């Protein structure tokens, strides 16, 4: 079954390249995009609604430094939601950030929903081999 | 026969009677004191005693006669003899009573100490003249000698050190263990450096510590083992080494980050070029054109990043000649360079010059500071404000020039303000234009100009204030004014 994917990132050039890269992968279904953590939270709420037209993603690629709500703030809020809303099923998050700081890596390692911490820039083939699509 | 031996003995000998009259004086005595033997015989012994001791001498002889045992004269004191020409010579005198048919006589042997004293003086002079602090301790670790350098470096007077345990100069945390070290050294003495591989510290009288390098050398005296230590203050070496380590660390970080920052746009360009080829193949010309434009924009940013890196290298390594510059002209030129950007971003450019005279400084560096601050004002202008501006002010402050660059832009987040001048600091994730090098470069340039930079920033905007000395930093013009 094809996996649906959500990109949470504010850099339009990077998002465009990601979308074109993912388009080539036969195992990836729907690719959606939001620009910050706040929009991502709204997206998750809508997708949790069984009657809604927003498809729940299986995988999310998450940037850290974003305006309005950054990647850390988003994850904290999202994981809180996971506990309080029984309908919520977890999404596999892949952090995709240009920050190589040990603090950022350590903070992300503390989130149970985060699968991997990947460093930008990343080439298309490398990205596809890192995320578990199958 | 006895007389012959006495006369030609290599030791200076003299025989006096109870009335202190010289009965015999051998040739060595005569030579030592510059008389002929005949001149001495029949004279009181005080002829050979320095003036200051002459009056006390008869009673000393008297008390010796009351308890005549073989012994050294003047135990514990430095003795001197008086030569015929008035010179004094350091001597050691041995006394022995002899009973003769004519009564008790005192036989004295006199040893010239000039040679020994000269050797000791030479040692002391070398010890004093040593360029390092030199300290001599005995086998128990008590200080017996400390040269002038030691007193200066440690801040003690000589009598405060002599007789003290060497631990007085050792930091508290090592004090307890130190006598053990001294003992270990005395047990297995060898010339060596102390604490190899570690930075040692010494303690001044005022309690302050400083890093030292210590060389130790043992030597045997007549009364046991002594250790001479040379102490070199290596504060400067340590400071330079730390500075180098920091610079090295900075360079490593810089290389890592720049290679990352150069790689990112290249990967984007590579991806976009690949998609352009696909789009042309598929006839999607509009998308191909859009992607080509993206490549243009990305390579433009890449170019400006490289230009900033080059400026940084130049800021570090190339010193330009100072010349007379007019600040209003420099600001105008900077604005002209950014003209298109001002229009594009719809940001007003304002100036308030309270000073338009000439200042003596490095034009290139000043221009780079101003252009970077102006472009920051543009990059981080606040789109939610209807009127956006960047304002440059310049006025005299003492002998220095104060330049302010103020904007009503987004401001620097309060919790990140301490990092403003750090390398690769970016505060606005929504702006992809920043290389994180601009303010780092500005700070470097201001430092090279001998100036200072500070800022105030709120959500209402940011104001940078740069103070640049009028003249070379070496002239002291700056320190007088700020």
């Amino acid at each position: 079954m094809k996996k649906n994917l959500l990109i949470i990132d504010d850099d339009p050039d990077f998002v465009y390249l990601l979308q074109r890269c993912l388009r080539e992968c036969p195992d990836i279904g729907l690719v959606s995009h939001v620009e910050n953590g706040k929009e991502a939270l709204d997206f998750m709420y809508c997708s949790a609604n069984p009657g809604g037209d927003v498809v729940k993603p299986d995988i999310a690629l998450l940037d850290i430094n974003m305006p309005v709500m950054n990647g850390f703030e988003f994850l904290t809020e999202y994981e809180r939601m996971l506990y309080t809303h029984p309908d919520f099923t977890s999404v596999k998050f892949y952090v995709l950030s240009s920050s190589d700081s040990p603090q950022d890596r350590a903070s992300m390692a503390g989130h149970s929903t985060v699968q991997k911490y990947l460093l930008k820039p990343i080439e298309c083939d490398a990205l596809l081999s890192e995320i578990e699509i199958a | 026969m006895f007389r012959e031996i006495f006369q030609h003995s290599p030791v200076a000998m003299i025989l006096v009677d109870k009335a202190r009259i010289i009965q015999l004086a051998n040739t060595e005595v005569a030579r030592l004191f510059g008389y002929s033997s005949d001149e001495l015989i029949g004279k009181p012994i005080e002829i050979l005693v320095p003036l200051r001791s002459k009056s006390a001498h008869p009673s000393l002889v008297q008390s010796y006669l009351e308890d005549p045992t073989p012994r050294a004269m003047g135990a514990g004191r430095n003795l001197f003899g008086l030569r015929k020409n008035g010179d004094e010579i350091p001597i050691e005198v041995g006394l022995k009573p002899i009973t003769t048919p004519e009564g008790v006589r005192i036989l004295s042997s006199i040893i010239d100490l000039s040679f020994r004293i000269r050797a000791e003086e030479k040692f002391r002079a070398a010890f004093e003249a040593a360029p390092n602090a030199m300290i001599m301790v005995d086998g128990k670790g008590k200080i017996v000698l400390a040269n002038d350098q030691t007193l200066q470096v440690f801040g003690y007077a000589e009598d405060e050190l002599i007789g003290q345990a060497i631990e007085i100069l050792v930091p508290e945390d090592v004090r307890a263990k130190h006598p053990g070290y001294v003992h270990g050294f005395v047990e297995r003495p060898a010339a060596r450096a102390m604490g190899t591989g570690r930075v040692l510290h010494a303690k001044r009288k005022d309690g302050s510590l400083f890093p030292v390098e210590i060389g130790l050398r043992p030597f045997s005296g007549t009364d046991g083992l002594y250790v001479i230590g040379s102490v070199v203050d290596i504060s400067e070496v340590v400071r330079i080494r730390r500075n180098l380590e920091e610079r090295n660390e900075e360079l490593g970080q810089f290389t890592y980050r720049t290679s990352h920052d150069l790689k990112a746009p290249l990967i984007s360009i590579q991806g976009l070029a690949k998609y352009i080829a696909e789009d042309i193949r598929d006839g999607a010309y509009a998308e191909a054109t859009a992607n080509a434009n993206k490549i243009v924009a990305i390579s433009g940013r890449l170019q400006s990043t490289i230009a900033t890196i080059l400026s940084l290298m130049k800021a570090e390594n190339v010193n330009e000649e100072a010349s007379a510059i007019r600040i209003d002209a420099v600001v105008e030129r900077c604005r002209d360079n950014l003209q298109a950007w001002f229009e594009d971003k719809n940001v007003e450019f304002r100036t308030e010059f309270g000073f338009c005279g000439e200042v003596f400084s490095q034009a290139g560096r000043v221009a780079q500071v101003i252009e970077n601050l102006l472009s920051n004002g543009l990059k981080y202008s606040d789109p939610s404000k209807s009127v956006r501006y960047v304002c440059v002010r310049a006025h005299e402050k003492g002998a220095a020039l104060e330049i302010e660059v103020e904007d009503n832009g987004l401001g620097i987040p309060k919790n990140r303000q301490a990092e403003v001048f750090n390398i690769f600091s970016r505060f606005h994730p929504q702006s992809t234009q920043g290389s994180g090098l601009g303010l780092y470069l500005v700070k470097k340039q201001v430092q090279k100009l001998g100036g200072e930079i500070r800022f105030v920033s709120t959500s209402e905007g940011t104001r940078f204030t740069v103070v640049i000395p009028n003249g070379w930093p070496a002239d002291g013009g700056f320190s007088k004014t700020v």
Side-chain angles (χ1 to χ4, degrees), chain A residues 11-56:
Chain A
D11 176 355
D13 289 345
F14 182 73
V15 170
Y16 174 81
L17 287 165
L18 263 184
Q19 283 169 328
R20 293 238 10 190
C21 160
L22 296 167
R23 208 191 286 171
E24 287 168 16
C25 178
D27 298 319
I28 288 185
L30 205 61
V31 176
S32 314
H33 166 231
V34 291
E35 286 184 6
N36 58 57
K38 175 82 175 54
E39 288 182 11
L41 274 182
D42 291 344
F43 190 95
M44 294 299 180
Y45 265 118
C46 295
S47 68
N49 178 1
D53 52 0
V54 175
V55 181
K56 180 183 166 296

Side-chain angles (χ1 to χ4, degrees), chain B residues 25-241:
Chain B
N26 71 0
T27 46
E28 192 54 28
V29 167
R31 190 195 62 74
L32 192 58
F33 287 89
Y35 291 94
S36 70
S37 294
D38 296 344
E39 282 178 290
L40 289 173
I41 291 166
K43 299 278 170 21
I45 184 69
E46 279 74 30
I47 192 174
L48 304 178
V49 176
L51 196 61
R52 59 177 181 279
S53 314
K54 262 192 181 49
S55 59
H57 197 259
S59 65
L60 291 169
V61 175
Q62 193 53 45
S63 56
Y64 179 74
L65 285 170
E66 284 161 16
D67 177 24
T69 51
R71 61 179 161 94
M73 194 174 119
R77 287 178 296 129
N78 294 324
L79 298 180
F80 291 88
L82 183 68
R83 301 190 80 227
K84 188 180 180 184
N85 67 2
D87 287 348
E88 290 187 12
I89 42 169
I91 51 172
E92 202 171 85
V93 181
L95 300 173
K96 187 166 170 50
I98 297 174
T99 312
T100 68
E102 292 84 25
V104 173
R105 299 281 187 269
I106 303 168
L107 179 66
S108 315
S109 65
I110 302 162
I111 296 167
D112 178 7
L113 294 181
S114 305
F115 174 77
R116 207 190 288 171
I117 299 273
R118 270 200 297 277
E120 203 179 303
E121 273 170 1
K122 263 190 207 160
F123 168 78
R124 263 196 177 269
F127 196 77
E128 277 304 329
N132 306 332
M134 305 283 287
I135 302 165
M136 188 165 128
V137 298
D138 64 17
K140 293 195 173 73
K142 290 258 181 294
I143 301 173
V144 287
L145 270 180
N147 69 353
D148 201 45
Q149 279 290 319
T150 305
L151 308 180
Q152 277 182 24
V153 168
F154 286 91
Y156 283 100
E158 193 173 8
D159 57 1
E160 290 175 308
L161 283 182
I162 304 300
Q164 293 292 324
I166 186 70
E167 281 73 34
I168 191 175
L169 307 177
V170 173
E172 259 86 10
D173 57 338
V174 211
R175 249 179 215 185
K177 286 180 259 167
H178 198 264
Y181 297 152
V182 174
H183 183 72
F185 186 81
V186 170
E187 292 290 297
R188 285 177 304 281
R192 62 172 172 90
M194 200 170 120
T196 322
R198 286 177 295 136
V199 173
L200 301 174
H201 286 87
K203 192 179 169 205
R204 294 190 190 90
K205 187 183 178 183
D206 65 14
S208 58
L209 303 182
F210 61 104
V212 287
E213 208 165 79
I214 299 175
L216 298 175
R217 195 168 191 93
F219 76 94
S220 298
T222 48
D223 47 352
L225 189 86
Y226 289 89
V227 183
I228 289 195
S230 77
V231 181
V232 183
D233 180 347
I234 55 165
S235 304
E236 189 60 11
V237 177
V238 168
R239 194 188 61 75
I240 292 171
R241 192 164 58 199

